[in-house]
């Protein structure tokens, strides 16, 4: 393993000092805390030139169960918050993303992007998070309705969050991650996310942003590790209500079959492409519609 050079964006040692840069040991993000994997495993994260950057925790089946438990525990309070308050919290996350812009650029450069491309992706990720935050108090009015019915009744259809959403994040380590996490939580869902396996650093930095923002612990739980190992456990977990397979390249049919065990809502790989301009499709995919009748004048 070679040491970073003076041009290595991840090096923390000043050039020419002869010191070895101090790199992070990245952990999981579960329930608002940063635990190590219960298995004690980790895997090496290299930059685009094959140089060692850090070790990331390799999550296990037990970590998936812990993350789902934390998401379920957080769901009640998060879904009961007013949409306006959820929008405020998501906007606060965007502010903090902007504040760590330079770090995200450095991590995307380490993943192989040119500086200009990395800078553009960070800008797009912040803008997309702001866009979804703005939808928090508008989604109910757009998706819900007052339905005309025969007889002296009011009939209202209102959207409600599905519950715990399992997310297999795409390999785009920041913009892709934001594009699948923000629409899941803005409507009141909580989520368990399997981060991009080749480049997990931006995902863990995003977790640090979430941990120091106003987002309650457990709303977003982030696991690093082998996608092929973790996805089946997430798909078959009976306390996961929905599944976003944005990051799955192969094996999607088997995961869908596992998800059918408790009739999970599923976004299939390649459907509702996250890289397109943001829209309401991913937000409405994880909503239930509740219809209420009420007599007029009572």
């Amino acid at each position: 393993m070679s040491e970073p050079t003076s041009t290595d964006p991840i090096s923390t040692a000043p050039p020419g000092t002869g010191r070895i840069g101090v790199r992070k040991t990245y952990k999981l993000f579960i329930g608002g805390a940063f635990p190590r994997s219960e298995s004690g495993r980790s895997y090496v994260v290299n930059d685009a030139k094959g140089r060692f950057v850090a070790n990331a925790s390799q999550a296990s089946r037990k970590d998936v169960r812990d993350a789902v438990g934390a998401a379920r525990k957080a769901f009640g309070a998060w879904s009961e918050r007013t949409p306006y308050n959820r929008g405020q919290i998501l906007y606060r996350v965007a502010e903090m993303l902007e504040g760590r812009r330079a770090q995200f650029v450095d991590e995307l450069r380490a993943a192989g992007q040119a500086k200009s491309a990395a800078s553009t992706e960070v800008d797009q990720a912040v803008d997309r998070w702001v866009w979804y935050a703005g939808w928090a108090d508008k989604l109910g009015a757009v998706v819900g309705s007052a339905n005309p019915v025969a007889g002296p009744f009011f009939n209202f259809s209102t959207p409600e969050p599905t519950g715990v959403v399992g997310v297999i994040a795409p390999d785009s380590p920041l913009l892709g991650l934001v594009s699948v996490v923000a629409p899941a939580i803005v409507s009141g869902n909580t989520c368990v996310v399997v981060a991009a396996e080749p480049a997990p650093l931006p995902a863990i930095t995003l977790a640090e942003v979430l941990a120091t923002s106003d987002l309650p612990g457990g709303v977003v739980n982030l696991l690093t590790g082998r996608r092929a190992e973790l996805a089946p456990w997430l798909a078959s977990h009976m306390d996961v209500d929905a599944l976003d397979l944005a990051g799955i390249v192969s094996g999607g049919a088997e995961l869908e079959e596992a998800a059918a065990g408790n009739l999970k809502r599923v976004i299939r790989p390649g459907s509702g492409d996250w890289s397109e301009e943001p829209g309401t499709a991913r937000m409405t995919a994880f909503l239930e519609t509740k219809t209420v009748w009420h007599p007029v004048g009572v």
Side-chain angles (χ1 to χ4, degrees):
M1 295 182 294
S2 60
E3 292 304 323
T5 66
S6 59
T7 59
D8 187 345
I10 299 299
S11 176
T12 59
T17 62
R19 293 183 56 242
I20 297 175
V22 178
R23 294 86 163 224
K24 286 186 177 181
T25 298
Y26 289 89
K27 300 179 184 178
L28 309 176
F29 182 56
I30 300 175
F34 290 91
R36 301 181 187 275
S37 171
E38 63 84 28
S39 67
R41 298 178 302 170
S42 63
Y43 71 101
V44 173
V45 178
N46 293 319
D47 67 11
K49 297 181 179 179
R51 297 172 299 187
F52 175 82
V53 173
N55 292 308
S57 291
Q58 187 174 335
S60 67
R61 181 182 183 182
K62 174 64 163 54
D63 296 316
V64 171
R65 292 202 304 267
D66 290 345
V68 172
R72 177 60 63 190
K73 184 177 180 181
F75 173 68
W78 179 242
S79 62
E80 291 171 2
R81 286 179 181 254
T82 65
Y84 181 75
N85 182 240
R86 286 199 298 267
Q88 288 179 308
I89 291 172
L90 262 69
Y91 190 81
R92 173 61 176 161
V93 173
E95 291 177 339
M96 300 187 72
L97 276 170
E98 186 72 49
R100 299 183 71 163
R101 187 178 184 282
Q103 182 177 355
F104 281 114
V105 169
D106 286 347
E107 289 171 347
L108 291 173
R109 287 180 62 201
Q113 294 191 20
K115 186 175 182 179
S116 59
S119 180
T120 298
E121 178 166 339
V122 175
D123 290 343
Q124 290 174 334
V126 174
D127 292 347
R128 191 161 294 190
W129 194 280
V130 170
W131 191 88
Y132 280 114
W135 266 100
D137 59 351
K138 303 170 183 66
L139 192 59
V142 173
V143 179
S145 63
N147 307 312
V149 295
F153 301 99
F154 293 116
N155 183 275
F156 302 103
S157 293
T158 58
E160 294 186 345
T162 295
V164 177
V165 179
V167 178
I168 311 300
D171 280 340
S172 172
L174 182 59
L175 182 58
L177 182 66
V178 166
S179 299
V180 294
V181 171
I185 66 173
V186 68
S187 59
N189 295 301
T190 56
C191 65
V192 177
V193 187
V194 178
E197 184 178 333
L201 274 64
I204 296 298
T205 301
L206 176 62
E208 293 174 357
V209 167
L210 299 176
T212 53
S213 69
D214 299 324
L215 191 74
V219 174
V220 176
N221 304 273
L222 196 142
L223 306 176
T224 54
R226 306 305 182 195
R227 182 183 293 158
E229 177 186 355
L230 301 177
W233 298 125
L234 197 57
S236 62
H237 199 295
M238 298 302 286
D239 207 22
V240 174
D241 303 297
L243 198 62
D244 188 339
L245 300 178
I248 295 298
V249 177
S250 62
E254 290 81 359
L255 295 176
E256 289 184 50
E257 183 177 351
N262 68 334
L263 302 180
K264 292 178 178 65
R265 289 172 173 261
V266 176
I267 295 182
R268 291 180 166 180
S271 61
D273 185 7
W274 65 265
S275 63
E276 297 174 354
E277 288 299 314
T280 59
R282 264 196 154 74
M283 290 186 287
T284 57
F286 301 136
L287 289 176
E288 307 285 348
T289 300
K290 179 179 180 180
T291 300
V292 178
W293 293 73
H294 196 279
V296 174
V298 177

CSV table of all heavy atoms in Angstrom, one decimal, residues 68 71-72 75 161-166 189-192 234-244 259 262-267 285-288:
chain,number,residue,atom,x,y,z
A,68,VAL,N,-33.0,-2.0,10.7
A,68,VAL,CA,-34.4,-2.0,10.5
A,68,VAL,C,-35.2,-1.8,11.8
A,68,VAL,O,-36.2,-1.0,11.8
A,68,VAL,CB,-34.9,-3.4,9.9
A,68,VAL,CG1,-36.4,-3.5,9.9
A,68,VAL,CG2,-34.3,-3.6,8.5
A,71,ALA,N,-35.0,2.0,12.4
A,71,ALA,CA,-35.9,2.7,11.5
A,71,ALA,C,-37.4,2.5,11.9
A,71,ALA,O,-38.2,3.5,11.8
A,71,ALA,CB,-35.8,2.1,10.0
A,72,ARG,N,-37.8,1.3,12.3
A,72,ARG,CA,-39.2,1.1,12.8
A,72,ARG,C,-39.4,1.9,14.0
A,72,ARG,O,-40.5,2.5,14.2
A,72,ARG,CB,-39.4,-0.4,13.1
A,72,ARG,CG,-40.7,-0.8,13.6
A,72,ARG,CD,-41.8,-0.4,12.7
A,72,ARG,NE,-41.8,-1.1,11.4
A,72,ARG,CZ,-42.5,-0.8,10.3
A,72,ARG,NH1,-43.3,0.2,10.4
A,72,ARG,NH2,-42.3,-1.5,9.2
A,75,PHE,N,-40.1,5.5,13.1
A,75,PHE,CA,-41.1,5.8,12.1
A,75,PHE,C,-42.3,6.6,12.7
A,75,PHE,O,-42.8,7.5,12.1
A,75,PHE,CB,-41.6,4.5,11.5
A,75,PHE,CG,-42.8,4.7,10.6
A,75,PHE,CD1,-42.7,5.4,9.4
A,75,PHE,CD2,-44.0,4.2,10.9
A,75,PHE,CE1,-43.8,5.6,8.6
A,75,PHE,CE2,-45.1,4.4,10.1
A,75,PHE,CZ,-45.0,5.1,8.9
A,161,PRO,N,-47.4,7.8,4.7
A,161,PRO,CA,-46.2,7.1,4.5
A,161,PRO,C,-46.4,5.6,4.6
A,161,PRO,O,-47.2,5.1,5.5
A,161,PRO,CB,-45.2,7.6,5.5
A,161,PRO,CG,-46.1,8.2,6.6
A,161,PRO,CD,-47.3,8.7,5.9
A,162,THR,N,-45.6,4.8,3.9
A,162,THR,CA,-45.7,3.3,3.9
A,162,THR,C,-45.1,2.7,5.1
A,162,THR,O,-45.6,1.8,5.7
A,162,THR,CB,-45.0,2.7,2.6
A,162,THR,OG1,-45.8,3.2,1.5
A,162,THR,CG2,-45.0,1.2,2.7
A,163,GLY,N,-43.9,3.2,5.6
A,163,GLY,CA,-43.2,2.7,6.7
A,163,GLY,C,-41.7,2.7,6.6
A,163,GLY,O,-41.1,3.7,6.2
A,164,VAL,N,-41.1,1.5,6.7
A,164,VAL,CA,-39.7,1.4,6.6
A,164,VAL,C,-39.3,1.0,5.1
A,164,VAL,O,-39.9,0.0,4.6
A,164,VAL,CB,-39.1,0.3,7.6
A,164,VAL,CG1,-37.6,0.1,7.4
A,164,VAL,CG2,-39.4,0.7,9.0
A,165,VAL,N,-38.5,1.8,4.5
A,165,VAL,CA,-38.1,1.6,3.1
A,165,VAL,C,-36.6,1.1,3.1
A,165,VAL,O,-35.7,1.7,3.7
A,165,VAL,CB,-38.2,2.9,2.3
A,165,VAL,CG1,-37.8,2.6,0.9
A,165,VAL,CG2,-39.6,3.4,2.4
A,166,GLY,N,-36.4,0.0,2.4
A,166,GLY,CA,-35.0,-0.5,2.2
A,166,GLY,C,-34.5,0.0,0.9
A,166,GLY,O,-35.2,0.0,-0.1
A,189,ASN,N,-41.6,8.5,5.6
A,189,ASN,CA,-41.0,7.2,5.8
A,189,ASN,C,-39.7,7.2,6.5
A,189,ASN,O,-39.0,8.3,6.5
A,189,ASN,CB,-40.8,6.5,4.4
A,189,ASN,CG,-42.1,6.3,3.7
A,189,ASN,OD1,-42.9,5.5,4.1
A,189,ASN,ND2,-42.2,6.9,2.5
A,190,THR,N,-39.2,6.1,7.0
A,190,THR,CA,-37.8,6.0,7.4
A,190,THR,C,-37.1,5.0,6.5
A,190,THR,O,-37.8,4.3,5.8
A,190,THR,CB,-37.7,5.5,8.9
A,190,THR,OG1,-38.5,4.3,9.0
A,190,THR,CG2,-38.4,6.5,9.8
A,191,CYS,N,-35.8,4.9,6.5
A,191,CYS,CA,-35.1,4.0,5.6
A,191,CYS,C,-33.9,3.4,6.1
A,191,CYS,O,-33.2,3.9,7.0
A,191,CYS,CB,-34.9,4.8,4.3
A,191,CYS,SG,-33.7,6.1,4.4
A,192,VAL,N,-33.5,2.3,5.5
A,192,VAL,CA,-32.3,1.6,5.7
A,192,VAL,C,-31.6,1.6,4.4
A,192,VAL,O,-32.1,1.0,3.4
A,192,VAL,CB,-32.5,0.2,6.3
A,192,VAL,CG1,-31.1,-0.5,6.4
A,192,VAL,CG2,-33.2,0.2,7.6
A,234,LEU,N,-32.2,-7.6,3.4
A,234,LEU,CA,-33.1,-6.4,3.4
A,234,LEU,C,-34.4,-6.7,2.7
A,234,LEU,O,-35.5,-6.4,3.2
A,234,LEU,CB,-32.4,-5.2,2.8
A,234,LEU,CG,-32.9,-3.8,3.1
A,234,LEU,CD1,-33.0,-3.6,4.6
A,234,LEU,CD2,-32.1,-2.8,2.5
A,235,ALA,N,-34.3,-7.4,1.6
A,235,ALA,CA,-35.5,-7.7,0.7
A,235,ALA,C,-36.4,-8.7,1.5
A,235,ALA,O,-37.6,-8.6,1.3
A,235,ALA,CB,-35.0,-8.3,-0.6
A,236,SER,N,-35.8,-9.6,2.2
A,236,SER,CA,-36.7,-10.6,2.9
A,236,SER,C,-37.1,-10.3,4.3
A,236,SER,O,-37.9,-11.0,4.9
A,236,SER,CB,-35.9,-12.0,2.9
A,236,SER,OG,-34.7,-11.8,3.7
A,237,HIS,N,-36.6,-9.2,4.8
A,237,HIS,CA,-37.0,-8.8,6.2
A,237,HIS,C,-38.5,-8.4,6.3
A,237,HIS,O,-39.0,-7.6,5.5
A,237,HIS,CB,-36.1,-7.6,6.6
A,237,HIS,CG,-36.1,-7.4,8.1
A,237,HIS,ND1,-37.2,-7.1,8.9
A,237,HIS,CD2,-35.0,-7.5,9.0
A,237,HIS,CE1,-36.8,-7.0,10.1
A,237,HIS,NE2,-35.5,-7.3,10.2
A,238,MET,N,-39.1,-9.1,7.2
A,238,MET,CA,-40.6,-8.9,7.3
A,238,MET,C,-41.0,-7.6,7.9
A,238,MET,O,-42.2,-7.3,7.9
A,238,MET,CB,-41.2,-10.1,8.1
A,238,MET,CG,-41.0,-11.4,7.5
A,238,MET,SD,-41.6,-11.6,5.8
A,238,MET,CE,-43.4,-11.7,6.1
A,239,ASP,N,-40.1,-6.8,8.4
A,239,ASP,CA,-40.5,-5.5,9.0
A,239,ASP,C,-40.1,-4.4,8.0
A,239,ASP,O,-40.1,-3.2,8.4
A,239,ASP,CB,-39.8,-5.3,10.4
A,239,ASP,CG,-40.7,-4.4,11.2
A,239,ASP,OD1,-41.9,-4.2,11.0
A,239,ASP,OD2,-40.1,-3.8,12.2
A,240,VAL,N,-39.7,-4.7,6.8
A,240,VAL,CA,-39.4,-3.7,5.8
A,240,VAL,C,-40.6,-3.6,4.9
A,240,VAL,O,-41.1,-4.7,4.4
A,240,VAL,CB,-38.1,-4.0,5.0
A,240,VAL,CG1,-38.0,-3.1,3.8
A,240,VAL,CG2,-36.9,-4.0,5.9
A,241,ASP,N,-41.2,-2.4,4.7
A,241,ASP,CA,-42.4,-2.3,4.0
A,241,ASP,C,-42.3,-2.0,2.5
A,241,ASP,O,-43.2,-2.1,1.7
A,241,ASP,CB,-43.3,-1.2,4.6
A,241,ASP,CG,-43.5,-1.4,6.1
A,241,ASP,OD1,-44.2,-2.4,6.4
A,241,ASP,OD2,-43.0,-0.6,6.9
A,242,ALA,N,-41.1,-1.5,2.1
A,242,ALA,CA,-40.9,-1.1,0.7
A,242,ALA,C,-39.4,-1.3,0.3
A,242,ALA,O,-38.6,-1.3,1.2
A,242,ALA,CB,-41.4,0.3,0.4
A,243,LEU,N,-39.2,-1.3,-0.9
A,243,LEU,CA,-37.8,-1.6,-1.4
A,243,LEU,C,-37.5,-0.8,-2.7
A,243,LEU,O,-38.3,-0.8,-3.6
A,243,LEU,CB,-37.6,-3.1,-1.7
A,243,LEU,CG,-36.2,-3.7,-1.8
A,243,LEU,CD1,-35.5,-3.6,-0.4
A,243,LEU,CD2,-36.3,-5.2,-2.1
A,244,ASP,N,-36.4,-0.1,-2.6
A,244,ASP,CA,-35.9,0.6,-3.8
A,244,ASP,C,-34.6,0.0,-4.3
A,244,ASP,O,-33.6,0.0,-3.6
A,244,ASP,CB,-35.7,2.1,-3.5
A,244,ASP,CG,-35.3,3.0,-4.7
A,244,ASP,OD1,-35.0,2.4,-5.7
A,244,ASP,OD2,-35.5,4.2,-4.6
A,259,ALA,N,-39.0,-10.0,-1.7
A,259,ALA,CA,-39.8,-8.9,-1.2
A,259,ALA,C,-41.3,-9.3,-1.2
A,259,ALA,O,-42.1,-8.7,-0.4
A,259,ALA,CB,-39.6,-7.7,-2.0
A,262,ASN,N,-43.9,-10.3,2.2
A,262,ASN,CA,-44.8,-9.5,3.0
A,262,ASN,C,-45.4,-8.3,2.1
A,262,ASN,O,-45.8,-7.3,2.6
A,262,ASN,CB,-44.2,-8.9,4.2
A,262,ASN,CG,-43.1,-7.9,4.0
A,262,ASN,OD1,-42.5,-7.9,2.9
A,262,ASN,ND2,-42.9,-7.0,4.9
A,263,LEU,N,-45.4,-8.6,0.8
A,263,LEU,CA,-46.1,-7.7,-0.2
A,263,LEU,C,-45.5,-6.3,-0.2
A,263,LEU,O,-46.2,-5.3,-0.2
A,263,LEU,CB,-47.6,-7.6,0.0
A,263,LEU,CG,-48.4,-8.9,0.0
A,263,LEU,CD1,-49.8,-8.7,0.3
A,263,LEU,CD2,-48.2,-9.6,-1.4
A,264,LYS,N,-44.1,-6.2,-0.1
A,264,LYS,CA,-43.4,-4.9,-0.2
A,264,LYS,C,-43.8,-4.2,-1.5
A,264,LYS,O,-43.9,-4.8,-2.5
A,264,LYS,CB,-41.9,-5.1,-0.1
A,264,LYS,CG,-41.4,-5.7,1.3
A,264,LYS,CD,-39.9,-5.8,1.2
A,264,LYS,CE,-39.3,-6.3,2.5
A,264,LYS,NZ,-39.8,-7.7,2.9
A,265,ARG,N,-43.8,-2.9,-1.4
A,265,ARG,CA,-43.8,-2.1,-2.6
A,265,ARG,C,-42.4,-2.1,-3.1
A,265,ARG,O,-41.5,-1.9,-2.3
A,265,ARG,CB,-44.3,-0.6,-2.2
A,265,ARG,CG,-45.8,-0.5,-1.9
A,265,ARG,CD,-46.1,0.9,-1.5
A,265,ARG,NE,-47.5,1.1,-1.3
A,265,ARG,CZ,-48.3,1.7,-2.2
A,265,ARG,NH1,-47.8,2.1,-3.3
A,265,ARG,NH2,-49.6,1.8,-2.0
A,266,VAL,N,-42.2,-2.2,-4.4
A,266,VAL,CA,-40.9,-2.3,-4.9
A,266,VAL,C,-40.7,-1.4,-6.1
A,266,VAL,O,-41.5,-1.3,-7.0
A,266,VAL,CB,-40.6,-3.8,-5.4
A,266,VAL,CG1,-39.2,-3.8,-6.1
A,266,VAL,CG2,-40.6,-4.7,-4.2
A,267,ILE,N,-39.6,-0.6,-6.1
A,267,ILE,CA,-39.2,0.1,-7.3
A,267,ILE,C,-38.1,-0.7,-8.0
A,267,ILE,O,-37.0,-1.0,-7.4
A,267,ILE,CB,-38.6,1.5,-7.0
A,267,ILE,CG1,-39.7,2.4,-6.4
A,267,ILE,CG2,-38.0,2.2,-8.2
A,267,ILE,CD1,-39.1,3.8,-6.1
A,285,ALA,N,-44.2,6.6,-4.8
A,285,ALA,CA,-44.1,5.2,-4.8
A,285,ALA,C,-44.2,4.6,-3.5
A,285,ALA,O,-44.6,3.4,-3.3
A,285,ALA,CB,-42.7,4.8,-5.5
A,286,PHE,N,-43.8,5.3,-2.4
A,286,PHE,CA,-43.9,4.8,-1.1
A,286,PHE,C,-44.9,5.5,-0.2
A,286,PHE,O,-44.7,5.8,1.0
A,286,PHE,CB,-42.5,4.9,-0.4
A,286,PHE,CG,-41.4,4.2,-1.2
A,286,PHE,CD1,-40.2,4.7,-1.5
A,286,PHE,CD2,-41.7,2.9,-1.7
A,286,PHE,CE1,-39.2,4.0,-2.2
A,286,PHE,CE2,-40.7,2.2,-2.4
A,286,PHE,CZ,-39.5,2.7,-2.7
A,287,LEU,N,-46.1,5.8,-0.8
A,287,LEU,CA,-47.2,6.4,-0.1
A,287,LEU,C,-48.4,5.5,-0.2
A,287,LEU,O,-48.6,4.8,-1.2
A,287,LEU,CB,-47.6,7.7,-0.7
A,287,LEU,CG,-46.6,8.9,-0.5
A,287,LEU,CD1,-47.1,10.1,-1.2
A,287,LEU,CD2,-46.4,9.2,1.0
A,288,GLU,N,-49.2,5.4,0.9
A,288,GLU,CA,-50.4,4.7,0.9
A,288,GLU,C,-51.5,5.8,0.8
A,288,GLU,O,-51.3,6.9,1.3
A,288,GLU,CB,-50.6,3.9,2.2
A,288,GLU,CG,-49.5,2.9,2.5
A,288,GLU,CD,-49.5,1.7,1.6
A,288,GLU,OE1,-50.6,1.5,0.9
A,288,GLU,OE2,-48.6,0.9,1.6
